[in-house]
Amino acid sequence: MMRDFVAGLPKAELHLHIEGSLEPEMLFALAERNGVAIPFATVDDVRAAYDFSNLQDFLDIYYQGMGVLLTEQDFYDLTAAYLARAAADNVRHVEIFFDPQGHTARGVAFGTVIGGITRALDDAAITSRLIMCFLRHLSEDEAEATLDEALPYLARIDGVGLDSSEAGHPPAKFARVFARARGLGLKLVAHAGEEGPADYVIEALDVLDVDRIDHGNRALEDEGLVARLVDEGVCLTVCPLSNLKLCVVEEMGLHPLRVMLDHGLKVTVNSDDPAYFGGYVNANYVAVAEALGLGRADLAVLARNSFEGAFLGAEERARYL
Ligand code: HPA
Ligand code: ZN
């Protein structure tokens, strides 16, 4: 059975926002533990609110949800729960995004956030990297200030990324801060081509010099760009259930993943914000496999791509590939 084959494949997850792994049950538990009011009476009420028409609909609820995260233990519990869930899906390596500005803006210290996340990463059996995202609806100066705050913790931060509202916030807005991050030895990624145009993917490559593209769906609108992504072997971290829930695709049968594979793009399958989009990594593989008729060979390519696109050292590469 397809489900068993997917479950048996060792995988890496390269596109996962840790705040997006906050399940409704933990949302309630932390709201109670911290005395934070939430506008929901039951877990079913919460799930009913997860009905999105676009990225911004989701982001409004996502930033509200993370308001229950206050202490180092909260960030530990959140991360530990995700890591256990990922391990259950036979994920061997994870590259986790976090959104420090979503927390420091509420008065939670940068050190509290990164302390809890890294303590959970250190306790886990699977290997990991940590990627700090800048919120693109905020200014580049605010991203610069966030990078300043991260300086004491750079030993624990492997890369920077760019997330939040894409339309109207092109990658070039963050040219300076990405160049500084590169100078600090950090890996670079950016969400591009989820709702924004193919030109944003080109800008992420040319202006930011990113090592991977997160999503990249709309790159398919530009033939020359597709040829370049294939030629340069750029990894795309695609998120099928996210795309469905945020109406980036109308139905899973219309998801571009098969077309991407057929072009020879280095695509991977990831869960993005699994607590909000209805499934962890295996559920994402199964959903596209069923809707697009992917076979075992395709699924094995996707899993292999996930390790090839990961920021692994030589010893880990040898272990996983
Ligand atoms: N897109 C942009 N920003 C995000 C996402 C996403 O899918 N998830 C969390 N922040
Ligand atoms: Zn994302």
Side-chain angles (χ1 to χ4, degrees):
M1 213 179 110
M2 187 61 69
R3 203 171 290 276
D4 297 327
F5 182 76
V6 166
L9 282 173
K11 290 165 289 280
E13 176 148 58
L14 306 181
H15 187 154
L16 178 282
H17 303 263
I18 198 63
E19 298 89 348
S21 72
L22 178 60
E23 291 286 348
E25 290 77 8
M26 191 179 286
L27 178 82
F28 273 95
L30 295 182
E32 188 168 313
R33 183 157 103 190
N34 293 328
V36 176
I38 52 169
F40 304 108
T42 66
V43 164
D44 286 343
D45 282 355
V46 178
R47 291 226 158 81
Y50 295 175
D51 179 25
F52 314 114
S53 305
N54 54 44
L55 174 59
Q56 194 60 50
D57 271 2
F58 155 69
L59 289 169
D60 293 342
I61 291 234
Y62 167 80
Y63 294 124
Q64 181 185 73
M66 66 175 79
V68 301
L69 299 164
L70 293 182
T71 68
E72 196 259 9
Q73 189 65 41
D74 298 341
F75 288 93
Y76 178 90
D77 292 345
L78 175 72
T79 307
Y82 164 69
L83 290 167
R85 188 63 189 75
D89 274 9
N90 208 3
V91 170
R92 306 290 175 90
H93 175 79
V94 294
E95 305 202 344
I96 293 181
F97 296 134
F98 72 115
D99 283 329
Q101 290 162 294
H103 311 300
T104 54
R106 301 181 288 110
V108 178
F110 193 99
T112 299
V113 177
I114 199 159
I117 295 172
T118 56
R119 186 159 63 86
L121 296 178
D122 290 345
D123 284 350
I126 63 181
T127 57
S128 59
R129 297 288 182 273
L130 191 54
I131 301 174
M132 175 176 83
C133 286
F134 302 119
L135 299 183
R136 70 200 303 160
H137 68 276
L138 301 178
S139 69
E140 185 176 45
D141 284 348
E142 287 164 291
E144 291 277 14
T146 302
L147 185 53
D148 289 339
E149 281 191 279
L151 293 176
Y153 306 99
L154 279 195
R156 298 309 311 259
I157 298 174
D158 301 287
V160 300
L162 190 61
D163 65 3
S164 194
S165 322
E166 186 181 6
H169 301 286
K173 178 178 165 185
F174 297 91
R176 266 188 315 136
V177 71
F178 268 65
R180 182 156 74 104
R182 174 66 88 203
L184 291 166
L186 293 161
K187 294 289 187 185
L188 309 178
V189 301
H191 284 54
E194 181 185 20
E195 287 189 346
D199 282 353
Y200 283 17
V201 177
I202 296 173
E203 250 183 41
L205 294 170
D206 287 344
V207 181
L208 302 187
D209 190 30
V210 295
D211 299 293
R212 285 198 301 250
I213 295 287
D214 296 313
H215 295 295
N217 300 47
R218 292 191 62 192
L220 292 177
E221 295 170 21
D222 182 334
E223 256 178 60
L225 173 58
V226 170
R228 174 183 179 186
L229 292 167
V230 172
D231 192 49
E232 296 179 7
V234 178
C235 177
L236 306 181
T237 63
V238 176
C239 305
L241 288 172
S242 166
N243 293 158
L244 185 66
K245 284 291 273 183
L246 301 187
C247 306
V248 169
V249 298
E250 258 177 62
E251 53 180 284
M252 200 57 93
L254 298 174
H255 195 282
L257 191 78
R258 173 177 274 293
V259 174
M260 290 167 145
L261 280 166
D262 289 347
H263 280 302
L265 287 162
K266 189 176 288 214
V267 283
T268 62
V269 167
N270 308 273
S271 69
D272 206 2
D273 301 282
Y276 292 90
F277 300 148
Y280 287 78
V281 75
N282 285 358
N284 276 271
Y285 275 74
V286 169
V288 273
E290 286 178 346
L292 304 176
L294 301 184
R296 293 181 174 206
D298 299 310
L299 295 167
V301 165
L302 291 167
R304 184 175 180 82
N305 286 349
S306 73
F307 291 108
E308 286 185 349
F311 299 137
L312 298 174
E315 187 245 324
E316 290 165 331
R317 274 190 73 80
R319 179 168 2 145
Y320 294 128
L321 281 165

